[in-house]
Amino acid sequence: GMLGEDGSIQGLLDLLGICYQCSGVLGSSIAMNKAVAKQFYERAGIEVPPYRAFCRGDTPDARKLVDLLGLPLVVKPAGGGSSIGMAIVHSQSEVSGAIDNAFAHDSTVLVEAFLNGIEITGGVLGNDHLQALPLIEIVPRAGHEFFDFAAKYDVSETEEICPARLDEGLAEKAREIALSAHRALFCSGCSRTDMIVCDGRIYALETNTIPGMTPASLLPLAARTAGISYAGLIDRLVGLALEKKSIKQGDGL
C-alpha cells in the first residue's frame, strides 16, 4: 500500500544507497496509481476495460456512467491494494455510495466496466532480460463475487490453477501482455500483472510491483510450476536486486 509500494520507501533506500528487491521509484509510483498505469498500458497497445477516472471534488453522474459503461460497474480507489475499497455495483442507485466509499481510501477513483471472464495473473522475473512465468487462473469460491481481500489471503477461499486453463494461443498472448506491462510501467526485479480473458480478448487490470511472497501467494506458485523452488526464487530476486544496483552505479557485473 501507501509508502511501502508507491515509491516512497524505494526513494529513501536509493538516497541511503541500500539495495532492495522490487521496482524503483518510477515503476513503483506508476503501477501504484491504477489511473496512471492504464494510460501507460494504452500507450503500449495493451487493452484495458472501458473506464473513467475521477478526482475528489468531481461530481460523477451515475446515470451517465451506467449509460456509458453499462452494468455491473467496478468501483475502486486508484491507489491501494488487496481490493480494499473496491466494489461491484449492479444498479445505478449503488454507484454514488460505492464511489464515496472508494474516495475514503484515495483521492482518485476508477469506475470500470465489469468484464465477466476468466481472471488470470502473469508473473515476470527480470530487469532487462525478462522471463514470463506460467499463468495462474484465479477462481474465487462461492460467496466471492471477485478476488477480494478474504479470497486473496485465505487459501481455502480461492482455487488457483497453474498453468491456467487457456489454449496455447491465448496463453502466449497473455504472457506477452505481462511482459509488455512490466516494460511499459518501468518495472524491475519482478512483477505480476492481473488480467481478465473475456470473449477471446485479454484485458490488463493492474500490475503488482511487490507480489506477495507467502506460502499462499501467486508468484511463488508460478515459479514453482516453472521449476523454480521457493529458495531458488528468493536467490533469483536477490540477484536481480544486486544486478539493478550494479547497473545503476555503472559498475558492470
Side-chain angles (χ1 to χ4, degrees):
M2 299 299 291
L3 302 181
E5 295 180 83
D6 64 0
S8 299
I9 190 66
Q10 290 80 8
L12 175 61
L13 293 172
D14 283 343
L15 288 171
L16 296 174
I18 296 174
C19 187
Y20 58 90
Q21 191 301 117
C22 69
S23 295
V25 174
L26 181 61
S28 298
S29 59
I30 292 172
M32 189 67 182
N33 188 312
K34 298 177 182 66
V36 173
K38 284 182 182 297
Q39 296 177 45
F40 279 77
Y41 288 152
E42 290 174 309
R43 290 171 184 168
I46 299 170
E47 197 163 10
V48 300
Y51 72 97
R52 288 294 183 269
F54 299 96
C55 297
R56 186 171 283 126
D58 292 340
T59 54
D61 186 306
R63 182 182 61 79
K64 288 182 179 179
L65 284 170
V66 170
D67 289 344
L68 180 67
L69 302 175
L71 285 170
L73 289 171
V74 181
V75 181
K76 56 188 173 184
S82 297
S83 300
I84 295 171
M86 177 177 166
I88 296 178
V89 299
H90 297 269
S91 68
Q92 181 177 311
S93 62
E94 299 176 84
V95 174
S96 294
I99 290 175
D100 289 343
N101 181 61
F103 270 130
H105 298 275
D106 195 81
S107 60
T108 304
V109 165
L110 283 174
V111 180
E112 296 178 342
F114 176 81
L115 299 180
N116 187 18
I118 302 169
E119 187 168 354
I120 59 173
T121 192
V124 173
L125 297 177
N127 295 324
D128 295 323
H129 306 288
L130 305 181
Q131 175 187 1
L133 296 174
L135 301 167
I136 300 173
E137 180 180 346
I138 300 165
V139 186
R141 298 196 187 280
H144 297 277
E145 192 171 16
F146 62 97
F147 195 38
D148 59 15
F149 184 88
K152 281 180 166 72
Y153 296 105
D154 186 340
V155 294
S156 67
E157 295 298 315
T158 305
E159 184 179 7
E160 297 160 354
I161 303 166
C162 190
R165 297 169 298 183
L166 298 176
D167 67 63
E168 185 51 36
L170 272 178
E172 179 60 27
K173 182 178 178 181
R175 289 191 292 267
E176 286 298 326
I177 289 173
L179 292 169
S180 295
H182 186 97
R183 297 187 188 99
L185 272 54
F186 301 95
C187 296
S188 57
C190 67
S191 70
R192 205 196 74 235
T193 295
D194 298 333
M195 297 165 273
I196 191 152
V197 183
C198 182
D199 296 329
R201 298 164 70 175
I202 303 173
Y203 302 82
L205 301 177
E206 64 178 276
T207 296
N208 302 275
T209 56
I210 308 181
M213 290 295 292
T214 73
S217 297
L218 299 171
L219 190 73
L221 170 59
R224 185 165 64 250
T225 305
I228 305 171
S229 68
Y230 187 84
L233 176 60
I234 298 300
D235 285 346
R236 179 80 173 273
L237 295 176
V238 170
L240 289 168
L242 292 170
E243 175 187 281
K244 181 177 68 172
K245 184 177 182 183
S246 180
I247 292 171
K248 184 180 292 185
Q249 292 175 337
D251 296 333
L253 295 177

